[in-house]
Amino acid sequence: MQHPLTMHCRPVLSDLSQPVGCDSYRFEVARQIIGKVDRNYLLDVVEQSGLAGCGGGSFPTGRKWRLYPPQSERPGPRYFIINADEMEPGTFKDRLLLEDETSLLIEGIILSAYILDANECYVFVRGEYQLAIERLMAGIEQAKMAGLLGTDILGSKFCLDIHVHRGAGRYICGEETALLNSLEGRRPVPRAKPPYPQVSGLWGAPTIVNNVETVANIPNIIKNGAQWYRSLGRNGGVGTKIFGVSGRVMRPGTYELPMGTTMRELIEDHAGGMRSGYRLRAVLPGGASTAFLSAEQLDTPMTPAAMMKSGTRLGTGTAIILDDQTCPVGFIANLQRFFARESCGFCTPCRDGLPWVSQILDRIEAGKGRAEDLDRLSDLQNTLAAGNTFCALAPGAMASLQSGLSLFRDDFVRHIEQGACPWK
Amino acid sequence: MSIDKNLLHLTEAEQREIQEIVASYPHPKAASLDALLLIQAKRRYISDDMLAAIATLIGISVAELDELATFYNLIYRKPVGQNVILLCDSISCWIMGRDAIECAIKQQLQIEVGETDREGQFTLLPIVCLGHCDHAPAMLINKQLYGDVTQDEVKSLLERHKHGETECSTP
Ligand SMILES: Cc1cc2nc3c(=O)[nH]c(=O)nc-3n(C[C@H](O)[C@H](O)[C@H](O)COP(=O)(O)O)c2cc1C
Ligand code: SF4
Ligand code: FES
């Protein structure tokens, strides 16, 4: 099995003291490409590879890049931004790449910026990722020394600077237009779209925002071709994906596997199955903003399309396991508390609705639920659905609530009827 | 040029550093967050005086800067202890027993979440998923990330950070 994304990773991720050897990284692909290969050809390769954004939305990267106006149309500053704000609960894949595949990521940035003809890059890293920030700074220095950053790179007239921007912690900063406001020093609330960032992004200039993992795929796609990348996937998926599993499994962790690996294989073969004494009840397949996949649906291949068919989304690809000894109401209450706290407060349904949802759930979990609470939750879930709020945060929050209310209806009812949490 | 009295709250070195940050962005306002984090790293939190001084250097109003300072989780507008404990309260850590860790810390320090202990050594705050979910429960003490934290280990972890730490409290 090929692991193009995680080739250099530490065997034991928890061993943070061991820096991984990047000093020898040669930026081979960038050296062969920059100034030598036509941008349009490279853009075709990225598009044909079928690479889809790994930040949670699975939007085709080639299609997104096509909307970026060429230098001839829009001269002046042109931005390429890496979204390394990873704050989606249960998601821990970008940290792996930032810390252990720093040079691969930097080469991905250089190649992507070259294809787009962007000359300024900001890597927006969440402030808590201290080690990632240090390694990025070191990696950027190294790339500079190697002559791959700065002006007239490899004699090609292409110029690129990479800046590391440290975030100060708010989930909404991961939403790409809020991220732009944050970078500009404005209050980080999302912007209205259109205009899309490709046309009017950072300081009004053409801007592309991509996730860390998306960009780390670029060097290998350019090196080995679109066909190679497509062939890595299974069950209708393309490429590889860094999947993750957390919760009460034998081996929680990150696993780079073919896109389209089934959820059951991920959990049972790679993560070693459930710990003894625990049974799986349901899974959030890709972070806190995805809907539950039930135990009966575990054979769903992990591709954006198949997950959609099963009523959920691939999201970030990091699965959170709900086991039989964890209260599903408490589980959902924890998720909604997060969303209520992280609402940016810009639009009313989300600002007022999420705390309401959260309070009702806390009340039910505490055994003080009322008969009408479930109807109230269903109402709120409609109020906060896609299209009713300014950004995707609130609809994302509703994914687990809606699927949870139907999947665990009996458990909700038991809490209310018994006046106590059966798991306590 | 007259010197704004607000600036007197910052050392000359600090003022220079902020000016350098401002110069590194195409627009001064973009330096706001970096400047706040820089001063907080040196002074542990952003007092009203600091806020006014930074705003003056960047050339924006105090209200504009406070709008940012109060928005972010990692900017502290109130004094914090020598060490800041950021204990993850997101889903995977919750499943894996972070509530018990919180209890152990509260008991050890005799504080509630959001408070600083009597000696001014530790402040306990909740934090969103630290990206260490495969080693839940996770927490950060200052810049140090801990995973698979157990109740029994809390006391010794805190001891390790007591007094000894000189680094800043911002992760
Ligand atoms: C509330 C919210 C939070 C988000 N957080 C992140 C994040 O932390 N990292 C990320 O890459 N994308 C995040 N996204 C998705 C981004 O808006 C954007 O789609 C993504 O960065 C695009 O990159 P990609 O096409 O490479 O996936 C978030 C979206 C929303 C609505
Ligand atoms: S949906 Fe929530 S997070 Fe998004 S803009 Fe509205 S208030 Fe802000
Ligand atoms: S949920 Fe605690 S580190 Fe991710």
Side-chain angles (χ1 to χ4, degrees):
Chain A
M1 202 184 293
Q2 297 193 55
H3 305 106
L5 274 178
T6 50
M7 234 159 24
H8 306 94
C9 287
R10 286 175 296 239
V12 184
L13 180 60
S14 58
D15 188 5
L16 296 176
S17 60
Q18 287 296 316
V20 279
C22 290
D23 293 350
S24 57
Y25 197 88
R26 298 207 49 252
F27 299 97
E28 261 172 45
V29 189
R31 283 183 199 284
Q32 282 167 21
I33 298 294
I34 292 187
K36 298 183 182 134
V37 183
D38 178 54
R39 292 193 161 90
N40 283 321
Y41 169 77
L42 296 169
L43 184 50
D44 284 343
V45 174
V46 172
E47 195 163 37
Q48 284 157 13
S49 74
L51 173 66
C54 306
S58 304
F59 190 82
T61 305
R63 186 128 54 94
K64 182 180 202 163
W65 288 9
R66 283 252 178 246
L67 298 172
Y68 194 68
Q71 170 90 35
S72 54
E73 261 173 47
R74 293 287 296 272
R78 298 160 60 80
Y79 295 101
F80 181 56
I81 292 172
I82 307 301
N83 192 341
D85 195 48
E86 192 165 67
M87 283 177 84
E88 177 80 18
T91 302
F92 50 104
K93 64 181 184 70
D94 294 339
R95 207 186 105 221
L96 176 79
L97 293 171
L98 288 160
E99 290 178 358
D100 279 12
E101 290 286 358
T102 323
S103 298
L104 178 71
L105 173 64
I106 290 172
E107 187 171 31
I109 295 174
I110 296 170
L111 285 164
S112 307
Y114 175 71
I115 297 172
L116 295 164
D117 214 348
N119 44 27
E120 295 282 345
C121 170
Y122 285 97
V123 186
F124 190 104
V125 194
R126 71 180 289 199
E128 293 91 336
Y129 279 9
Q130 183 61 36
L131 186 66
I133 291 171
E134 284 166 23
R135 294 221 166 132
L136 273 171
M137 303 274 213
I140 290 168
E141 271 317 302
Q142 188 211 348
K144 256 188 216 159
M145 305 285 278
L148 287 150
L149 290 175
T151 48
D152 195 22
I153 296 167
L154 305 173
S156 67
K157 298 206 169 66
F158 171 59
C159 307
L160 177 66
D161 283 313
I162 305 180
H163 314 272
V164 176
H165 180 95
R166 169 187 289 243
R170 269 314 277 273
Y171 173 62
I172 194 62
C173 293
E175 197 282 334
E176 60 184 12
T177 59
L179 185 152
L180 298 177
N181 277 336
S182 182
L183 264 177
E184 290 185 9
R186 296 172 196 275
R187 198 171 170 93
V189 294
R191 295 178 181 176
K193 295 193 245 187
Y196 289 91
Q198 286 97 321
V199 180
S200 177
L202 194 61
W203 293 300
T207 304
I208 292 275
V209 182
N210 271 129
N211 172 260
V212 168
E213 187 185 355
T214 313
V215 177
N217 273 298
I218 298 295
N220 287 306
I221 291 177
I222 298 294
K223 181 177 167 191
N224 301 312
Q227 230 17 66
W228 166 83
Y229 185 75
R230 298 190 79 91
S231 73
L232 296 177
R234 292 171 48 198
N235 297 328
V238 299
T240 61
K241 172 88 189 71
I242 302 182
F243 294 109
V245 189
S246 66
R248 290 199 170 101
V249 291
M250 294 299 284
R251 292 188 297 275
T254 43
Y255 300 92
E256 185 186 356
L257 300 170
M259 184 76 95
T261 302
T262 67
M263 182 61 84
R264 188 184 304 285
E265 287 170 298
L266 173 67
I267 295 170
E268 292 177 4
D269 302 346
H270 299 280
M274 298 302 288
R275 292 192 189 177
S276 76
Y278 294 96
R279 202 169 50 77
L280 180 147
R281 282 196 77 191
V283 186
L284 292 185
S289 306
T290 55
F292 284 102
L293 195 68
S294 70
E296 291 72 42
Q297 292 174 304
L298 288 189
D299 291 311
T300 309
M302 289 186 291
T303 66
M307 282 293 161
M308 191 91 79
K309 232 168 125 189
S310 289
T312 180
R313 294 187 308 118
L314 180 65
T316 59
T318 41
I320 308 161
I321 312 289
L322 170 65
D323 61 80
D324 61 340
Q325 286 168 56
T326 298
C327 171
V329 177
F331 185 103
I332 297 168
N334 176 282
L335 295 172
Q336 299 303 323
R337 213 174 301 135
F338 159 81
F339 287 113
R341 195 174 66 195
E342 291 298 326
S343 162
C344 82
F346 185 69
C347 64
T348 312
C350 172
R351 180 185 60 233
D352 288 355
L354 286 176
W356 198 356
V357 168
S358 176
Q359 282 162 21
I360 295 175
L361 287 168
D362 283 345
R363 181 163 80 211
I364 299 175
E365 174 64 0
K368 301 202 176 72
R370 306 167 196 153
E372 69 271 19
D373 279 348
L374 295 183
D375 290 338
R376 176 75 70 235
L377 285 175
S378 298
D379 283 351
L380 279 164
Q381 166 204 305
N382 293 330
T383 310
L384 293 170
N388 296 345
T389 61
F390 196 65
C391 85
L393 183 143
M398 291 306 101
S400 62
L401 181 67
Q402 181 176 25
S403 54
L405 275 176
S406 72
L407 209 53
F408 308 116
R409 185 135 203 120
D410 295 348
D411 296 314
F412 277 92
V413 171
R414 268 205 297 162
H415 275 76
I416 295 172
E417 284 176 354
Q418 295 176 10
C421 170
W423 277 266
K424 284 213 177 96
Chain B
M1 200 181 89
S2 70
I3 296 174
D4 193 307
K5 71 178 188 334
N6 277 335
L7 294 183
L8 298 176
H9 298 293
L10 294 173
T11 66
E12 279 183 24
E14 285 169 339
Q15 294 183 31
R16 248 193 332 270
E17 280 183 78
I18 292 180
Q19 275 153 354
E20 278 167 26
I21 299 173
V22 170
S24 74
Y25 283 99
H27 297 271
K29 202 171 156 63
S32 304
L33 211 53
D34 289 354
L36 287 167
L37 286 168
L38 173 86
I39 297 306
Q40 182 170 281
K42 295 175 192 291
R43 310 214 176 205
R44 300 225 296 265
Y45 83 106
I46 304 293
S47 66
D48 291 350
D49 288 343
M50 291 300 137
L51 193 75
I54 298 168
T56 304
L57 273 175
I58 296 174
I60 59 177
S61 71
V62 178
E64 259 180 296
L65 190 62
D66 207 16
E67 182 185 53
L68 296 180
T70 54
F71 192 88
Y72 290 103
N73 299 333
L74 298 180
I75 304 288
Y76 309 135
R77 284 286 279 118
K78 288 187 195 157
V80 292
Q82 291 278 347
N83 305 284
V84 176
I85 307 167
L86 298 175
L87 178 65
C88 175
D89 66 355
S90 292
I91 188 67
S92 308
C93 288
W94 177 80
I95 298 171
M96 300 307 284
R98 57 84 56 202
D99 285 355
I101 307 297
E102 183 183 293
C103 281
I105 297 174
K106 287 188 337 198
Q107 199 172 20
Q108 179 72 23
L109 298 174
Q110 292 295 304
I111 55 172
E112 289 300 315
V113 176
E115 293 179 352
T116 303
D117 69 338
R118 267 223 313 268
E119 292 175 68
Q121 279 290 327
F122 292 99
T123 302
L124 174 62
L125 296 171
I127 192 79
V128 174
C129 174
L130 289 167
H132 206 36
C133 328
D134 46 346
H135 293 280
M139 68 176 173
L140 264 176
I141 303 184
N142 308 328
K143 291 178 173 181
Q144 185 69 46
L145 179 63
Y146 295 99
D148 301 312
V149 180
T150 63
Q151 267 167 283
D152 300 339
E153 162 182 54
V154 163
K155 193 171 173 197
S156 64
L157 276 180
L158 295 184
E159 281 301 323
R160 198 184 305 167
H161 283 274
K162 212 166 170 178
H163 308 302
E165 292 278 345
T166 50
E167 46 150 344
C168 63
S169 20
T170 320

